[in-house]
Every structure is written in C-alpha cells, then in structure tokens.
Amino acid sequence: MSATLLRGRTLSFHRRPEAIDDRVAWTYEIDGAVLVENGLIVDSGDYGAVKAKAPEDAVEIDHHPHLILPGFIDTHVHFPQMQVIGSYAANLLEWLNTYTFPEECRFVESAHASRIAVHFFDEMIRHGTTTAVAYCSVHKASADAFFAEALRRDMRMVAGKVMMDRNAPQGLLDTAETGYDETRAVIEAWHGKGRNHVAITPRFAITSTPAQMSAAEALVREFPDLHVQSHLSENRDEIAFTASLYPDAIDYTDVYARYGLLGPKTLMGHCIHLSERERDAMSETGTVAVHCPTSNLFLGSGLFPWKDLMRREKPVRVSVATDIGGGSSYSMLRTLDEAYKIQQLLGERLNPFESWYWMTRGNAEALSLADRIGTLDAGTDADLVVLDMAATPAMALKAEVVSSLSDELFLLQTMGDDRAVAETYVAGRPMKAGLAT
Ligand code: GUN
Ligand code: ZN
C-alpha cells in the first residue's frame, strides 16, 4: 500500500494542559502534515520536514484550511440504545425499565443486532469517533454483530457482552454461569482479532447477583489485561437500591471492590455522588471515573465533580464519554460542550485545550492505549479526524472573528457537531464518503 501525506493544520497533545496558556502540553503546526503508511502514522510535524521523509510516490491530500487531529475517543456508549435516545423519563431507573430494557430485548435477533451495528459504526465515523468503548446487550449475538462490523471496518474498538442476571425482563437475563461462559466465548472469538478488544461487562450491581459478580471476578483473574466496565453512583435511588442488595458492603464502590473489579483497566460510568472514601478507593486502585455529561443532564442525574476528583491528594483518573442512549449526542464536540457547562454551574473552568485533550489523548490514557491511539505520534494508528470550523453558516460567521487556536477549538466545541467533521480516517483510510447520507 502506498504512503499518504495528509497536509493541513495539525494538533496533538503530549499531556493534559493545566491552563489555557500551557503551551508545552501540545504541538500545533500551521502548515503541518501526517505521513501514513500501512495504517500507521510514520511521521508528523512541519509539512516540509515530513514531506522530506515521504516516499516519492506518496499520495498527497491537502486539507487546508482544516484542522487534523487524532480521531475522537468515546469511552462509554451503549450500542443497543441507538433507538432509545430521547426517551421521556423522569430519572435513570424509570428510563431503564420503561424504554431501555425493552429495547435491548430486541437484540436477541442477530439480524437486528447486525443492522444496528452498521448504523452505529456509521455514526461513529460521521462524528469523527474512531475508538469507542461500548456495551453490547446481554445477548452474545449482539457482541458478535458488533465485533464483526468493527473488524470489517478495521476500527479499534473495546466492547463487551453485558452480564445481567436479575432485576430486568426475562428476555434480558443470563445467569452467573452463562454470563461467564458467553463472555469467555466472546473473548476467544474476538479479542485481538483485528483491532478488537473485549471488555468484561457486568452492567451494574443492581442487575448482577453476588454469584454473577463472582463470575465476573473469575474472568478478571483469568484475563487480567482486559478492560472492565460498569456503572457506579449515577443516581440517588440507584445508590439506595444497591445498598439494599449488598447490605454487607461499605458503599456502592465497595460492592465492586469486594469482587476484585476495581483496577487500572476498569472504567466506571458516571461516578457523580461518590463519598471521600469511595474516591480514595477509586484512586488507590487506578479505576477510571467516566463522565457522561449529556446523559447526566438528560436524566437529571447530577453534576460531575470533575475538578474535585482530579485536584485531591489522591486524584481519581477520569475520562469523558457520550453514554448514548442516556446521552443525547454521538458527538464528542457536543459532549465536551455540555461538560463545559456543567463545570460552569459548579464554578469551575474547563479550558478549550483541556477539553480537546480529553477527546483525544486524555481518553486514550484512560484506556491505557495512548501508545496506540489519541495522538499524532509516529508508530501509532492512523485514526484521524479533520475538522472545519466554518462548517455551517452560523459557524462561518463566528469564524470570521476567531483570532487564535483556542478561539477556534472553543468555536468547534460550542457550535460543532458531525457537520464540522470534514473527514474521518480509520487506519489511514478516508471513511466518510462510504456513509449513507
Ligand atoms: N446503569 C445501568 N445501565 C445503564 C444504562 O444503560 N445507562 C445508564 N445511563 N446508566 C445505566
Ligand atoms: Zn452507560
């Protein structure tokens, strides 16, 4: 395969920017380039310097005046909830029982799962998201459909068959034993195939019996390198129900700790209402708290204390995600816009550079995958997004007065969505043209 030289303005992060003027946290090239070969980034930086290293027959694509970044990463999304988005409910538990569980029952049909998987990956690409961490449904067929589609598109995806054996409709329940066996079968079939990663996925403590939590623990012991994902401390009624189901646990976080489910590969969705003790437990184990701003606002779950979690003596690792379909947008731009507003309500600042770090490198670090995705570093996967700050008439008008990179990022985050995504590259291949419009 011949090399491709992508020219444009390029931006990549080295670490989290601590302030808006923390210039050394990122590299920006006004005339930049990314050299891609065999799905990998070979070099990036100043156009002249990168071009000098490119083979003579490299195909050059000029994206000026657009901005080229690493593809967005979404660390918590439910693929069977595409048709749940926008369901009118008062709170999490009503939303789950009224809309979400009945909808997920439909994924027993593999034809349905395959159809929705195609739509899911189309939306990821349309929105510039090149890696997602997904919940499938309880049905093994849903995980098979998801990973088959990821493989077909050669995307780096993390996902798991949900384990849930109580407090849900019959059609959505496995057992401690079948949850274990089927998760194992999914790991054997898909983990490491293409760029697929399988995550061990007990849905949350309410829908897993102690026996199933032990089964999840056994899987974690057998496959210690795999990601683990679940939900934690999203809603006050959820917390109270969990406490009644696990009366011996100190608190909600302790339920997962007792079953060995906390750790540096564990992603806990929401984590809004954690006590200091729980925050310590998260920090000590390196567990990641995944903030889902559009979901938290939509379901009225609460305001994520992002800065408090990071600023403490024992900081908690964090990440940010859409949580479709509790979340209301596939766009990481819309997601960080809502995250910004939540921090405003809490009297905290989230500067544009920090937001863009989270969409890319920050989320890659949360997944312990920054050596593969989230930057423009040589040797990493050529998963990229190309952004147009003047994508709509209203954005173009605002763009007339943009005078700095910070202004541009903030404009894209505040007004942008899939229309601002000019192109999405997956392993070096442009993917937007292949989508149904
Ligand atoms: N807690 C358990 N399952 C879910 C889910 O599907 N969405 C959200 N937002 N919270 C959950
Ligand atoms: Zn979720």
Side-chain angles (χ1 to χ4, degrees):
M1 203 171 132
S2 68
T4 312
L5 187 64
L6 305 175
R7 186 175 186 178
R9 295 182 298 119
T10 55
L11 176 64
S12 181
F13 291 88
H14 312 298
R15 60 165 170 76
R16 184 174 70 84
E18 293 185 4
I20 197 158
D21 57 357
D22 186 1
R23 182 67 187 75
V24 293
W26 41 270
T27 296
Y28 171 61
E29 301 283 353
I30 292 174
D31 190 10
V34 183
L35 178 63
V36 174
E37 210 165 353
N38 298 321
L40 299 177
I41 295 172
V42 177
D43 195 15
S44 67
D46 168 69
Y47 170 74
V50 176
K51 186 171 170 65
K53 290 193 200 160
E56 271 188 14
D57 63 349
V59 176
E60 189 167 323
I61 301 169
D62 192 349
H63 283 294
H64 273 112
H66 301 336
L67 196 53
I68 304 174
L69 281 117
F72 297 140
I73 300 167
D74 181 353
T75 53
H76 184 122
V77 55
H78 295 258
F79 125 76
Q81 295 180 14
M82 294 187 80
Q83 293 180 299
V84 177
I85 302 171
S87 294
Y88 185 67
N91 55 53
L92 170 68
L93 298 180
E94 181 187 313
W95 175 84
L96 282 172
N97 290 317
T98 312
Y99 305 101
T100 308
F101 289 163
E103 174 62 24
E104 291 193 14
C105 287
R106 297 172 67 199
F107 286 74
V108 66
E109 298 288 345
S110 52
H112 179 68
S114 298
R115 170 176 174 248
I116 299 297
V118 171
H119 284 291
F120 180 82
F121 284 91
D122 279 359
E123 287 313 315
M124 292 297 105
I125 287 163
R126 201 188 312 283
H127 289 83
T129 297
T130 49
T131 290
V133 183
Y135 287 68
C136 301
S137 72
V138 72
H139 316 98
K140 179 177 173 293
S142 75
D144 291 337
F146 182 95
F147 284 121
E149 192 60 26
L151 185 65
R152 195 173 74 77
R153 305 198 195 207
D154 192 19
M155 294 182 80
R156 187 171 293 285
M157 288 284 153
V158 184
K161 180 210 104 74
V162 162
M163 301 169 76
M164 51 194 295
D165 67 345
R166 66 170 166 183
N167 291 320
Q170 194 57 41
L172 213 53
L173 298 181
D174 53 13
T175 66
E177 197 176 9
T178 61
Y180 171 90
D181 289 345
E182 290 180 2
T183 300
R184 226 173 178 287
V186 172
I187 295 167
E188 273 157 23
W190 296 110
H191 188 70
K193 199 175 244 188
R195 295 199 282 158
N196 283 331
H197 301 244
V198 175
I200 298 163
T201 309
R203 184 178 202 122
F204 66 159
I206 289 177
T207 50
S208 286
T209 59
Q212 181 160 78
M213 297 288 259
S214 295
E217 178 175 22
L219 288 165
V220 172
R221 283 187 200 278
E222 273 175 84
F223 304 99
D225 295 336
L226 264 55
H227 292 94
V228 178
Q229 58 180 344
S230 194
H231 295 86
L232 170 62
S233 200
E234 177 176 3
N235 165 289
R236 300 272 182 208
D237 291 339
E238 170 214 18
I239 296 167
F241 191 13
T242 304
S244 74
L245 293 169
Y246 288 92
D248 294 341
I250 306 168
D251 47 41
Y252 197 166
T253 303
D254 188 47
V255 174
Y256 296 118
R258 281 168 183 243
Y259 294 98
L261 297 176
L262 303 185
K265 298 298 281 289
T266 297
L267 306 161
M268 284 292 174
H270 305 292
C271 300
I272 301 169
H273 309 287
L274 298 178
S275 67
E276 289 302 318
R277 195 214 74 79
E278 291 179 286
R279 293 175 187 192
D280 282 350
M282 296 279 291
S283 177
E284 284 159 12
T285 53
T287 304
V288 177
V290 184
H291 177 31
C292 305
T294 71
S295 170
N296 296 166
L297 293 173
F298 183 78
L299 294 172
S301 302
L303 304 178
F304 182 73
W306 195 339
K307 298 286 169 169
D308 284 349
L309 291 174
M310 285 195 318
R311 221 168 16 213
R312 55 205 305 282
E313 198 184 317
K314 292 182 179 177
V316 177
R317 293 174 72 204
V318 290
S319 178
V320 59
T322 64
D323 190 30
I324 292 295
S328 50
S329 174
Y330 292 93
S331 170
M332 289 304 290
L333 299 173
R334 306 274 13 92
T335 299
L336 269 295
D337 182 42
E338 298 303 295
Y340 173 81
K341 293 172 191 170
I342 289 175
Q343 295 316 304
Q344 286 289 87
L345 287 173
L346 291 170
E348 301 283 2
R349 305 307 312 276
L350 185 62
N351 79 66
F353 288 107
E354 183 175 354
S355 291
W356 285 73
Y357 158 81
W358 286 116
M359 290 181 232
T360 57
R361 185 181 187 120
N363 273 353
E365 288 174 352
L367 299 180
S368 308
L369 284 174
D371 61 336
R372 296 265 36 94
I373 55 173
T375 71
L376 300 181
D377 293 354
T380 65
D381 300 354
D383 294 338
L384 307 165
V385 62
V386 182
L387 294 156
D388 174 7
M389 76 161 145
T392 68
M395 291 174 78
L397 194 62
K398 168 73 190 184
E400 287 176 11
V401 297
V402 159
S403 60
S404 65
L405 178 61
S406 157
D407 282 356
E408 178 179 359
L409 297 178
F410 205 47
L411 159 57
L412 278 163
Q413 172 190 311
T414 308
M415 299 179 80
D417 53 29
D418 53 313
R419 292 169 295 179
V421 176
E423 189 54 273
T424 303
Y425 287 91
V426 172
R429 284 173 294 117
M431 300 295 275
K432 264 206 120 174
L435 301 180
T437 47

